[in-house]
Amino acid sequence: MRKYCYVYTGEKDKAKRVKRIEKALKEIEKIGEKVIFAVNDLQSISYLREKGHQALNLDALDDIYNLITHDDFLYLCTPEDTALLKASFRNIKELCNE
């Protein structure tokens, strides 16, 4: 079982991306889990790796279907609609949404 955290970082505004990542990091630290972050841009990957986290690039939320299995756990921090994803997998928790 793997644990992932998808953070939407598709905005052009870098400050919004970093703010969303920091919000997710604070929540993950509270939970105390070691997770692999999935983000939408290379700058965010570099930022997360500098902080000591594993990170990978996903072009869109739908790519999660190719990444996780039903045993994996997924944390979400995104303004995107996640209803279909939540219906498809049982181990999903929203950290932040707008």
Side-chain angles (χ1 to χ4, degrees):
M1 176 174 71
R2 293 187 186 138
K3 297 184 180 181
Y4 296 94
C5 180
Y6 173 78
V7 181
Y8 177 75
T9 58
E11 294 101 347
K12 293 179 183 177
D13 184 358
K14 183 179 178 181
K16 283 184 181 178
R17 293 194 310 259
V18 171
K19 184 178 177 183
R20 192 172 285 122
I21 289 171
E22 287 297 323
K23 196 173 190 180
L25 283 172
K26 286 179 186 174
E27 293 299 317
I28 292 295
E29 288 171 5
K30 286 181 194 175
I31 297 168
E33 299 284 354
K34 182 76 172 171
V35 301
I36 300 169
F37 283 86
V39 294
N40 307 102
D41 70 299
L42 298 177
Q43 286 180 329
S44 296
I45 290 173
S46 292
Y47 181 80
L48 284 160
R49 288 182 178 169
E50 286 173 9
K51 293 199 167 264
H53 298 280
Q54 290 181 325
L56 56 89
N57 184 48
L58 289 182
D59 290 329
L61 183 61
D62 291 343
D63 292 340
I64 296 263
Y65 291 102
N66 298 322
L67 180 65
I68 69 173
T69 67
H70 289 285
D71 292 333
D72 293 336
F73 204 96
L74 177 65
Y75 298 102
L76 296 171
C77 187
T78 179
E80 299 167 286
D81 182 19
T82 59
L84 188 58
L85 192 62
K86 289 178 190 172
S88 300
F89 298 98
R90 64 177 178 252
N91 297 323
I92 293 181
K93 179 180 180 189
E94 284 200 48
L95 296 177
C96 49
N97 57 11
E98 290 116 25

